[in-house]
Amino acid sequence: MSQASSFSNNRAEDDARSTRELIIAESLRCFAESGYDGTSLNDIAAGVGIRRPSLLHHFASKEALYAEVFEKLLADWLEHLDIAVADRALGWAKVELVLNAGFQLFEDTPDYVRMMRREALDGGTHPGIDLAAVLRPLFDAASAYFDAQMEAGVFKRHNSRHLLITGYGAILTYFSDAAFIDGLIDDDALTKEHIAEHRDHVLSFFKSALIG
Amino acid sequence: MSQASSFSNNRAEDDARSTRELIIAESLRCFAESGYDGTSLNDIAAGVGIRRPSLLHHFASKEALYAEVFEKLLADWLEHLDIAVADRALGWAKVELVLNAGFQLFEDTPDYVRMMRREALDGGTHPGIDLAAVLRPLFDAASAYFDAQMEAGVFKRHNSRHLLITGYGAILTYFSDAAFIDGLIDDDALTKEHIAEHRDHVLSFFKSALIG
DNA sequence: CAAGATACCTACCTACTGGTAGGTAGTGCG
DNA sequence: CGCACTACCTACCAGTAGGTAGGTATCTTG
């Protein structure tokens, strides 16, 4: 009856992986849209086209499912950002590279941003997840980079750690609060055009503050 | 038996208002901390020291309670910000005035910020609440102000609407995501000192981008 | 004092939550 | 074929959600 089982002509393992992935994808959608408490396992199961017990056959518990979705989120982000971070560009070029990579990533997966925001907002409520601990090496490295560039006179002097927090807020908010921003600008904030507009603004604004 | 009724020697109306206010205050705490779905009426009632049915004697429903808490939030914010907005200062002085008023307000009521963020994140899920509609006049007025100042050459050219969105994100995030930022800076982000640090950074950063 | 209102209570309702028990159809393999 | 395994199902469990019914004690007012 379910769509999933109609594919079971293929190898069983393929089907298994596919259903797991469907569950993770639907969970991401639901958790991003309604949060952990606002999402029931029935919601997710219904979105996938199976029953709750079948979902719990693939994941031990709601907590475990949430943790796995979140781990995938972090892994995807770190993978994509590492490419930009690893680039040997210097000065403003590197900042622009990372910001562009971030905007591209967030444009592709706005649900990730909303889920991440909810997690930051909850502040470590979910057991086994320590967002800050994972991101802190990146934070420290970025802070050191800015300090070095400021020391060298490439960037104007700012508090590098607060600069990063400001940037984090400025960029993620556009995606996490898109539904609210829709109402401010009276249009869909997540169109390609509006995102590009915001990206251009953030780039020129930060460049203006860092270089002049 | 309850603490509330032990005060009933006073005028009944006083007591009534007081219990209502206790409920609203506790609701704010809970909604900010755990969100709408993560907060049960039992949680709130327990925090006040009464039972759930007694709480529902003061408020028709959970939705109605949430709406009233949120209306109070908006009213408080608009009241405080209007004072700064109404000031006849011009150029950077006015921006600094409003930003300082905002920081002071958010420092006093960080729970408001978290609740507001959750609402922006949910994006109009709660019936009878349209955050964007309320804030839009302010948004449009602020946008016009920046456009005029840029036109007059007081500020460097930026996209005023995206500038406001960037500022909104940069400032509110520090308070809404404080628990996460704690983990990044390895300290309580909401101490007077750290807030002042962030305020100083935001002020100098924005001044740097707007004036140079 | 009597009437009415207020603020609280216990007991109960239905709906839904996360999770489990136990069963079945289909697949791969010795 | 027979065994083990996977992926799904229905039926159930205890717990909790928001909300209601109906009662009691206290205070205000005529």
Side-chain angles (χ1 to χ4, degrees):
Chain A
M1 164 224 142
S2 74
Q3 294 174 309
S5 58
S6 71
F7 286 110
S8 50
N9 317 328
N10 305 341
R11 287 186 47 226
E13 238 176 278
D14 265 13
D15 193 24
R17 203 156 47 221
S18 161
T19 300
R20 260 188 84 91
E21 275 164 19
L22 282 174
I23 292 172
I24 289 183
E26 180 65 18
S27 299
L28 171 62
R29 240 181 42 78
C30 290
F31 287 142
E33 177 71 25
S34 315
Y36 183 83
D37 291 309
T39 300
S40 78
L41 294 182
N42 275 327
D43 294 337
I44 300 171
V48 175
I50 60 176
R51 310 287 157 178
R52 184 177 67 261
S54 310
L55 190 157
L56 286 165
H57 166 72
H58 293 278
F59 297 90
S61 67
K62 188 184 183 183
E63 292 270 11
L65 171 57
Y66 181 86
E68 189 152 333
V69 173
F70 202 81
E71 272 162 36
K72 182 175 148 61
L73 184 169
L74 281 178
D76 278 9
W77 275 17
L78 292 180
E79 183 194 341
H80 277 83
L81 286 182
D82 272 350
I83 296 173
V85 170
D87 195 289
R88 304 175 66 86
L90 282 173
W92 174 252
K94 177 145 184 168
V95 176
E96 190 162 310
L97 209 72
V98 174
L99 289 183
N100 274 320
F103 267 96
Q104 186 59 55
L105 184 55
F106 301 154
E107 176 174 348
D108 291 340
T109 57
D111 279 343
Y112 275 177
V113 184
R114 291 179 82 184
M115 184 164 173
M116 153 87 180
R117 239 288 146 51
R118 290 187 189 275
E119 184 62 31
L121 206 38
D122 289 342
T125 299
H126 306 286
I129 295 179
D130 190 347
L131 186 55
V134 176
L135 295 183
R136 192 153 171 194
L138 236 82
F139 181 75
D140 289 339
S143 172
Y145 176 79
F146 277 105
D147 281 336
Q149 299 288 310
M150 290 177 202
E151 192 64 40
V154 179
F155 292 156
K156 290 198 240 172
R157 278 235 165 271
H158 289 285
N159 182 318
S160 66
R161 297 166 84 76
H162 283 284
L163 170 66
L164 284 166
I165 295 170
T166 298
Y168 155 77
I171 297 169
L172 266 74
T173 294
Y174 188 81
F175 295 90
S176 71
D177 294 20
F180 163 55
I181 295 171
D182 284 353
L184 287 183
I185 64 175
D186 212 7
D187 202 356
D188 181 1
L190 292 186
T191 60
K192 250 185 150 26
E193 292 74 24
H194 278 124
I195 294 176
E197 237 177 77
H198 191 65
R199 185 196 61 220
D200 291 346
H201 167 261
V202 168
L203 283 172
S204 84
F205 188 74
F206 274 63
K207 191 173 184 180
S208 186
L210 284 171
I211 300 181
Chain B
M1 165 222 140
S2 73
Q3 294 174 310
S5 58
S6 72
F7 286 111
S8 51
N9 316 328
N10 305 341
R11 288 185 48 227
E13 239 177 277
D14 266 12
D15 194 24
R17 202 155 46 220
S18 163
T19 301
R20 262 189 82 91
E21 275 165 18
L22 282 174
I23 293 172
I24 288 182
E26 180 65 18
S27 299
L28 171 63
R29 240 182 42 79
C30 291
F31 287 142
E33 178 69 25
S34 314
Y36 183 84
D37 292 309
T39 300
S40 77
L41 293 181
N42 275 328
D43 294 337
I44 299 170
V48 175
I50 60 176
R51 309 289 157 177
R52 179 166 29 86
S54 310
L55 191 158
L56 286 166
H57 167 74
H58 293 278
F59 297 90
S61 67
K62 188 184 183 184
E63 292 270 11
L65 171 58
Y66 182 86
E68 189 152 333
V69 174
F70 202 82
E71 272 162 36
K72 181 174 149 59
L73 183 169
L74 280 179
D76 278 11
W77 275 17
L78 292 180
E79 182 193 343
H80 277 82
L81 285 183
D82 272 351
I83 297 172
V85 170
D87 195 289
R88 302 176 66 86
L90 280 175
W92 174 253
K94 177 144 185 171
V95 176
E96 190 162 311
L97 209 74
V98 173
L99 288 183
N100 273 320
F103 267 96
Q104 186 59 54
L105 183 56
F106 301 153
E107 176 174 349
D108 291 341
T109 57
D111 279 343
Y112 275 177
V113 185
R114 290 178 83 184
M115 185 165 172
M116 152 85 181
R117 237 294 147 47
R118 289 187 189 276
E119 184 62 30
L121 206 38
D122 289 341
T125 298
H126 305 287
I129 296 178
D130 189 347
L131 187 56
V134 176
L135 295 183
R136 193 154 171 192
L138 236 84
F139 181 74
D140 288 338
S143 173
Y145 176 80
F146 276 104
D147 281 336
Q149 300 287 309
M150 291 177 201
E151 193 64 40
V154 179
F155 292 155
K156 290 198 240 172
R157 279 234 166 270
H158 289 285
N159 181 316
S160 66
R161 298 167 84 77
H162 283 284
L163 170 66
L164 284 166
I165 295 170
T166 298
Y168 154 78
I171 297 169
L172 265 74
T173 295
Y174 188 81
F175 295 89
S176 70
D177 294 21
F180 163 56
I181 294 171
D182 285 353
L184 286 183
I185 65 175
D186 213 6
D187 201 356
D188 180 1
L190 293 186
T191 60
K192 248 187 152 23
E193 292 74 23
H194 277 124
I195 293 175
E197 236 177 78
H198 191 65
R199 185 197 60 220
D200 291 346
H201 166 262
V202 168
L203 282 172
S204 84
F205 188 74
F206 274 63
K207 190 172 183 178
S208 186
L210 284 172
I211 299 180

